[in-house]
Amino acid sequence: MKPAHVALAVLVAAVWGVNFVVIDVGLRDFPPLLFSAVRFTLAALPAVFFVGRPRVAWRWVIAVGVALGIMKFGLLFIGMDSGMPSGLASLVLQGQAIFTVLFAAVLLRERPRRVQVAGMVLATAGIAVAGTDSGAAGPLGAFLLVVAAAACWGVSNIAMRKASPPDMFRFMVWVSVVPPIPLALISIPFEGWHRDVQALRDITWGGAGAALYVAWGATLFGFGVWGFLLRTYDSPTVAPFSLLVPVFGLAAAWVFQGEGVTPTTACAAALVIAGIALGMVRTGGRLARSPAGSAEAGSTAAVKSDVALVREQN
């Protein structure tokens, strides 16, 4: 990769990692479901009026919008609002790689390779270790909500694989159209109409900045640049940079929130990252290509492998 493109890949990983700290900032102003609704509203508008049609079947736009936008981010934001630390959330959410392989085996009949199974075992052990760290993991319910969010992300990865969008940025803009109204409607009975109105009326500069960051930075900029890199290089070249996301997430939580990294958390992080990395490697030591095929610039196969390997944090 060109040095400038390496820098872009690292920058995207940093943006996605820091995103978890920014979510914590936004949750000080917004109830979690309303915050997620605001995030996707800002990601969709006004971009949806300029990007053109998604060029995939509408059922896939809706499917990904529900699984990723409503379920995954709804559960993640509720989990973090309930006490899940931001740094650990960035790590546990990487369990989506495990669920993606499992769902691909069940729904797409893709038999996992032995090295993938070994990687899944390692990563699962890491997430289990993270859950045992009572000093850092937060309430068990919050932890389980983030695990459930990772499972929903796995479902959305399968839907994205089936959709095979030719333009990831355009697809994500249209996906962002789906969640706002359902999330807002769910927020009213569960979070309270008066609380929602007050949050929007009394929004601070910090809350507004957090909403813009997660919408424009983590979603539009992150996916836009990631899609560009995957159109320029194959997935085995780009995908490993996603392993930096929990590293930046844990580091940002330590720097900005004083969230310590205990020996247990460090061990969990090592296991999760090693497990995901192992799942990318073939027996001969090479990084594996996606089951959808190699990612070559401008090809449909590129987009299929793109989505299966993206680690969006946001």
Side-chain angles (χ1 to χ4, degrees), residues 233-280:
Y233 303 96
D234 61 12
S235 290
T237 300
V238 179
F241 286 96
S242 67
L243 298 179
L244 295 174
V245 172
V247 176
F248 280 114
L250 289 166
W254 173 63
V255 171
F256 296 110
Q257 297 180 309
E259 185 180 309
V261 179
T262 67
T264 302
T265 299
C267 178
L271 288 171
V272 170
I273 293 172
I276 295 172
L278 187 61
M280 296 180 182

Side-chain angles (χ1 to χ4, degrees), residues 16 39-40 54-73 96 99-100 103-104 107-108 110 149-179 218-219 222-224 226-227 230 290-293 299-314:
W16 282 341
R39 173 248 180 92
F40 283 107
R55 293 189 290 177
V56 300
W58 288 108
R59 66 178 181 275
W60 297 121
V61 174
I62 295 171
V64 175
V66 171
L68 184 72
I70 299 175
M71 299 300 297
K72 181 246 182 171
F73 281 104
Q96 61 89 16
F99 289 109
T100 298
F103 295 149
L107 301 175
L108 303 181
E110 293 178 357
C152 293
W153 195 357
V155 172
S156 74
N157 282 342
I158 300 303
M160 287 184 185
R161 289 273 303 279
K162 297 295 290 183
S164 301
D167 185 327
M168 188 63 183
F169 175 83
R170 180 183 303 188
F171 181 70
M172 286 306 301
V173 169
W174 279 101
V175 164
S176 297
V177 174
V178 177
T219 302
F223 275 102
W226 196 257
L230 282 158
S290 160
S299 68
T300 301
V303 181
K304 290 182 180 179
S305 55
D306 164 0
V307 184
L309 292 169
V310 164
R311 304 285 186 270
E312 184 248 89
Q313 306 300 322
N314 353 32

Side-chain angles (χ1 to χ4, degrees), residues 78-231:
I78 293 173
M80 293 182 65
D81 188 60
S82 300
M84 182 67 169
S86 58
L88 198 61
S90 72
L91 176 65
V92 172
L93 201 62
Q94 299 308 309
Q96 61 89 16
I98 303 168
F99 289 109
T100 298
V101 173
L102 289 174
F103 295 149
V106 173
L107 301 175
L108 303 181
R109 306 292 184 182
E110 293 178 357
R111 184 177 178 181
R113 295 172 288 109
R114 291 181 180 178
V115 70
Q116 285 181 304
V117 174
M120 288 169 55
V121 171
L122 267 182
T124 302
I127 292 174
V129 168
T132 64
D133 192 352
S134 58
L140 178 60
F143 177 86
L144 293 177
L145 283 170
V146 177
V147 173
C152 293
W153 195 357
V155 172
S156 74
N157 282 342
I158 300 303
M160 287 184 185
R161 289 273 303 279
K162 297 295 290 183
S164 301
D167 185 327
M168 188 63 183
F169 175 83
R170 180 183 303 188
F171 181 70
M172 286 306 301
V173 169
W174 279 101
V175 164
S176 297
V177 174
V178 177
I181 293 177
L183 284 169
L185 291 176
I186 297 170
S187 174
I188 291 172
F190 286 97
E191 297 173 338
W193 169 262
H194 294 292
R195 185 184 177 193
D196 287 350
V197 171
Q198 183 177 2
L200 293 172
R201 185 187 60 202
D202 299 336
I203 186 172
T204 66
W205 285 108
L212 290 173
Y213 182 99
V214 298
W216 294 354
T219 302
L220 299 184
F221 172 79
F223 275 102
V225 172
W226 196 257
F228 161 75
L229 292 173
L230 282 158
R231 289 192 298 272

